[in-house]
């Protein structure tokens, strides 16, 4: 029996029954198990040799041992960072983290659409705050792989004060991240997506780069700043956003976040739940957005492709569209860790 079918036939049914079917309970139990795995001497290194891929590449000045990473949202608070290489990931993005700790939206807030291999979430940036994450990362020390940190706006912070909220988190975490992702595209924090508008985005990115420059002068290494965008933007809005990113020195784009649309799942009983949709239904949209960015920038602005990867062919499709790196999250829920090994083995 293959590793993939073992997960789907034996492990997944057990996970799906946890918490009377509450997907968030399964999420938390999985993180707890991975945290224990990361504490077993030699386990992460052995797993990396077994599941990883020797396919290093350098993107926006950072050397990645493999181009397949864990997307933000899975390990928001960085509790299992020692374990992820054992599954085959070449890099990890923690967060989204906010300046203020916050519990997120009311539960239940995570839903599986199993027959569509899709997920709807309205988590709402539940996290312990950037100060707590900084303390945890300081205790870890060198992780041995690139770490991305996704930063967002605290719900309690008014939109007119959003810039300082992001800058505060960047300042606290700057020494620990290998790159930073500016999340202005989650549909689950009221008003957040308005920060993708050119004027707001220019102000935010200018402030973040100014803070980064000051930290660099103070002795820290310069770090790439990326922007994570929504899949629901029009082509003209994407082009306007790309111009702002180019003007302000953004190092790359993460495409895409979850969608507020319901492509292919309109008739599902859970389709009416508020939140962002991820998983297989997002594959086509994400690939189109990646391809457009790659074409529009002539490949000069690196793209991390994320959305809809549930098979190795989905990852290859994003690479073919122009992605330099890819990230996986929802695919883990349906295919398990064997998916990462199969993607790694499919790399040229």
């Amino acid at each position: 029996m293959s590793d993939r079918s073992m997960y789907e036939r034996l492990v997944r049914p057990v996970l799906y029954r946890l918490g009377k079917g509450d997907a968030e309970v399964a999420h938390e139990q999985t993180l707890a198990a991975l945290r224990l795995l990361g504490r077993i001497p030699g386990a992460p290194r052995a797993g990396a040799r077994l599941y990883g891929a020797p396919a290093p590449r350098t993107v926006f000045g950072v050397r990645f041992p493999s181009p397949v990473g864990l997307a933000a949202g899975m390990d928001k608070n960085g509790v299992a960072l020692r374990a992820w290489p054992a599954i085959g990931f070449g890099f990890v993005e923690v967060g989204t983290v906010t300046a203020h700790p916050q519990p997120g939206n009311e539960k239940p807030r995570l839903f599986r659409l199993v027959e569509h291999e899709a997920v709807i979430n309205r988590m709402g940036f539940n996290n312990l705050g950037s100060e707590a994450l900084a303390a945890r990362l300081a205790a870890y020390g060198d992780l041995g792989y690139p770490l991305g940190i996704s930063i967002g706006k605290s719900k309690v912070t008014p939109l007119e004060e959003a810039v300082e909220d992001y800058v505060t988190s960047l300042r606290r975490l700057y020494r620990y991240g290998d790159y930073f992702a500016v999340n202005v595209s989650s549909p689950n924090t009221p008003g957040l997506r308005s920060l993708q508008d050119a004027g707001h985005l220019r102000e935010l990115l200018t402030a973040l780069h100014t803070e980064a420059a000051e930290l660099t002068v103070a002795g820290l290494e310069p770090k790439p700043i990326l922007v994570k965008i929504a899949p629901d933007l029009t082509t003209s809005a994407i082009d306007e956003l790309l111009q702002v990113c180019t003007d302000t020195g953004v190092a790359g784009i993460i495409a895409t976040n979850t969608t507020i649309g319901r492509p292919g799942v309109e008739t599902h009983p859970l389709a009416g739940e508020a939140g962002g949709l991820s998983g297989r239904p997002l594959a086509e949209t994400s690939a189109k957005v990646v391809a457009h960015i790659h074409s529009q920038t002539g490949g000069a602005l690196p793209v991390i492709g994320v959305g809809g990867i549930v098979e190795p062919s989905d990852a290859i499709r994003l690479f073919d569209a122009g992605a330099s790196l890819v990230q996986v999250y929802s695919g883990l829920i349906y295919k398990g860790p064997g998916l990462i090994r199969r993607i790694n083995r499919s790399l040229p």
Side-chain angles (χ1 to χ4, degrees), residues 110-113 117-121 258 276-279 281 330 333-334:
L110 185 63
F111 308 91
R112 306 184 198 97
L113 286 67
E117 295 181 316
V119 175
I120 293 175
N121 94 82
T258 58
L277 176 74
S278 61
S330 297
I333 295 172
Y334 290 103

Side-chain angles (χ1 to χ4, degrees), residues 327-346:
Q327 294 176 329
V328 182
Y329 178 1
S330 297
L332 282 177
I333 295 172
Y334 290 103
K335 304 298 184 179
L339 171 62
I340 310 307
R341 182 178 65 175
R342 292 192 296 123
I343 295 173
N344 281 328
R345 288 182 173 179
S346 72

Side-chain angles (χ1 to χ4, degrees), residues 23-240:
E24 189 169 354
V25 174
H27 178 118
E28 295 301 328
Q29 291 297 314
T30 299
L31 280 179
L34 286 165
R35 190 173 187 177
L36 291 175
L37 174 64
R39 292 175 176 174
I40 300 174
R45 184 174 298 178
R49 286 196 300 267
L50 180 63
Y51 290 103
R57 60 184 66 184
T58 299
V59 184
F60 40 78
V62 178
R63 184 170 174 80
F64 294 85
S66 160
V68 183
L70 178 70
M74 179 66 189
D75 194 358
K76 293 176 185 287
N77 296 304
V79 300
L81 292 182
R82 293 292 184 201
W84 295 114
I87 295 176
F89 286 111
F91 67 103
V92 171
E93 192 173 306
V94 295
T96 294
V97 64
T98 54
H100 299 284
Q102 55 187 42
N105 293 324
E106 185 178 350
K107 299 179 182 180
R109 53 194 181 181
L110 185 63
F111 308 91
R112 306 184 198 97
L113 286 67
V114 177
E115 54 268 52
H116 297 288
E117 295 181 316
V119 175
I120 293 175
N121 94 82
R122 52 170 179 265
M123 303 299 286
F125 290 167
N126 55 309
N127 75 103
L128 299 177
S130 55
E131 190 170 15
L133 179 60
R136 175 169 281 122
L137 295 177
Y140 272 120
D142 182 23
L143 291 168
Y145 61 81
L147 179 72
I149 301 177
S150 176
I151 56 176
K153 185 189 80 68
S154 305
K155 188 174 183 179
V156 298
T157 300
L159 273 174
E160 58 269 23
E161 299 173 18
V163 170
E164 183 55 34
D165 200 81
Y166 280 89
V167 168
T168 296
S169 291
L170 183 74
R171 184 186 307 121
R172 289 171 175 170
L173 294 163
Y174 198 74
R175 69 177 62 247
Y176 305 111
D178 291 285
Y179 72 84
F180 287 85
V182 182
N183 188 344
V184 288
S185 52
S186 169
N188 300 317
T189 295
L192 185 79
R193 286 190 167 189
S194 68
L195 295 176
Q196 293 177 116
D197 297 343
H200 289 148
L201 186 62
R202 188 179 297 275
E203 179 187 5
L204 173 58
L205 293 175
T206 299
L208 289 170
H209 277 105
T210 298
E211 179 66 25
E214 292 177 359
L215 292 167
T216 301
V217 170
L220 298 180
E221 295 182 9
K223 307 292 177 67
I225 294 177
L226 286 69
V227 173
K228 187 169 188 175
I229 70 171
D232 308 306
L233 294 174
T234 63
T235 299
S236 60
I238 292 174
D239 293 345
E240 190 174 21

Side-chain angles (χ1 to χ4, degrees), residues 2-23:
S2 69
D3 179 51
R4 174 173 173 262
S5 62
M6 178 75 75
Y7 171 83
E8 293 186 67
R9 296 180 190 179
L10 300 179
V11 178
R12 197 172 80 176
V14 173
L15 286 175
Y16 284 15
R17 286 195 295 269
L18 292 175
K20 298 180 180 180
D22 186 338

Side-chain angles (χ1 to χ4, degrees), residues 258-317:
T258 58
T259 178
I260 57 174
R262 296 293 182 262
V265 304
E266 297 89 345
T267 61
H268 193 280
L270 294 173
E273 293 287 351
L277 176 74
S278 61
R280 186 181 290 278
L282 197 55
E284 183 176 353
T285 300
S286 294
K288 286 182 178 179
V289 174
V290 169
H292 178 77
I293 295 170
H294 182 73
S295 174
Q296 189 70 10
T297 64
L301 196 61
V303 181
I304 300 180
V306 55
I309 300 178
V310 295
E311 297 290 350
S313 58
D314 300 317
I316 298 302
R317 183 182 189 183

